[in-house]
Amino acid sequence: MRSVVARHRDDRGALLPILHSLMEELGHIDPAAIPILADELNLSRADVHGVVTFYHDFRQTPPGRTKVRICRAEACQAVGGDELVERAKSRTGVGLGETTPDGAITLEQVFCLGNCALGPSVQVGDRLYGRVGAQQLDRLLEGAA
């Protein structure tokens, strides 16, 4: 963590680049990092904690082995995206932003995957799927588990 801080220490507004780098390298921001970052950047713990908890992209727990991201933007909502979210929550037993107890799947919402013409869209790991229906979602979730 200190090497990440050292790389960005001289950046203007270094906290966000540091947090993004930690997310990229570790997959989450360990709550134990907050006082260290505050000390290194001469910020209050409240300031660092506020930034980490304000932005939804900063996780404080490790993600599951596979991230399943369902688009909630207007174009995907109009063609069944919200129903896919409810189905995924029901099938996995977890809510948005949560990870299954076995650590297999982290279920997330996103507000555009850039695949609007082929909505509803779902991203599983690094692969994007369009025109996802209920049965295809079930297969994707089974494959991710």
Side-chain angles (χ1 to χ4, degrees), residues 38-75:
D39 183 57
E40 289 283 335
L41 299 172
N42 196 29
L43 297 169
S44 73
R45 290 179 184 191
D47 287 337
V48 176
H49 176 77
V51 171
V52 170
T53 57
F54 178 78
Y55 293 103
H56 296 285
D57 287 338
F58 296 139
R59 300 182 49 81
Q60 294 187 59
T61 57
R65 291 183 296 279
T66 304
K67 287 185 193 176
V68 175
R69 302 171 75 205
I70 302 173
C71 183
R72 304 285 306 271
E74 291 82 1

Side-chain angles (χ1 to χ4, degrees), residues 75-76 79 114-122 128-132 136:
C76 286
V79 291
N115 199 33
C116 303
L118 299 175
S121 297
V122 175
L128 181 61
Y129 299 87
R131 294 195 176 113
V132 176
Q136 183 181 11

Side-chain angles (χ1 to χ4, degrees), residues 5-137:
V5 171
R7 284 196 311 261
H8 295 285
R9 181 180 307 286
D10 296 328
D11 293 355
R12 185 170 182 207
L15 181 57
L16 283 174
I18 289 168
L19 293 174
H20 283 290
S21 292
L22 289 173
M23 284 293 298
E24 193 173 304
E25 291 184 25
L26 305 174
H28 72 290
I29 308 297
D30 188 323
I34 290 174
I36 296 167
L37 293 173
D39 183 57
E40 289 283 335
L41 299 172
N42 196 29
L43 297 169
S44 73
R45 290 179 184 191
D47 287 337
V48 176
H49 176 77
V51 171
V52 170
T53 57
F54 178 78
Y55 293 103
H56 296 285
D57 287 338
F58 296 139
R59 300 182 49 81
Q60 294 187 59
T61 57
R65 291 183 296 279
T66 304
K67 287 185 193 176
V68 175
R69 302 171 75 205
I70 302 173
C71 183
R72 304 285 306 271
E74 291 82 1
C76 286
Q77 273 184 13
V79 291
D82 288 341
E83 290 82 3
L84 287 182
V85 168
E86 292 308 312
R87 187 173 188 94
K89 287 166 52 176
S90 173
R91 292 293 197 167
T92 61
V94 297
L96 294 170
E98 297 178 352
T99 300
T100 56
D102 63 0
I105 297 172
T106 295
L107 186 59
E108 296 180 339
Q109 65 182 345
V110 63
F111 289 93
C112 191
L113 288 167
N115 199 33
C116 303
L118 299 175
S121 297
V122 175
Q123 182 178 3
V124 179
D126 292 330
R127 185 143 185 212
L128 181 61
Y129 299 87
R131 294 195 176 113
V132 176
Q135 290 157 343
Q136 183 181 11
L137 179 65

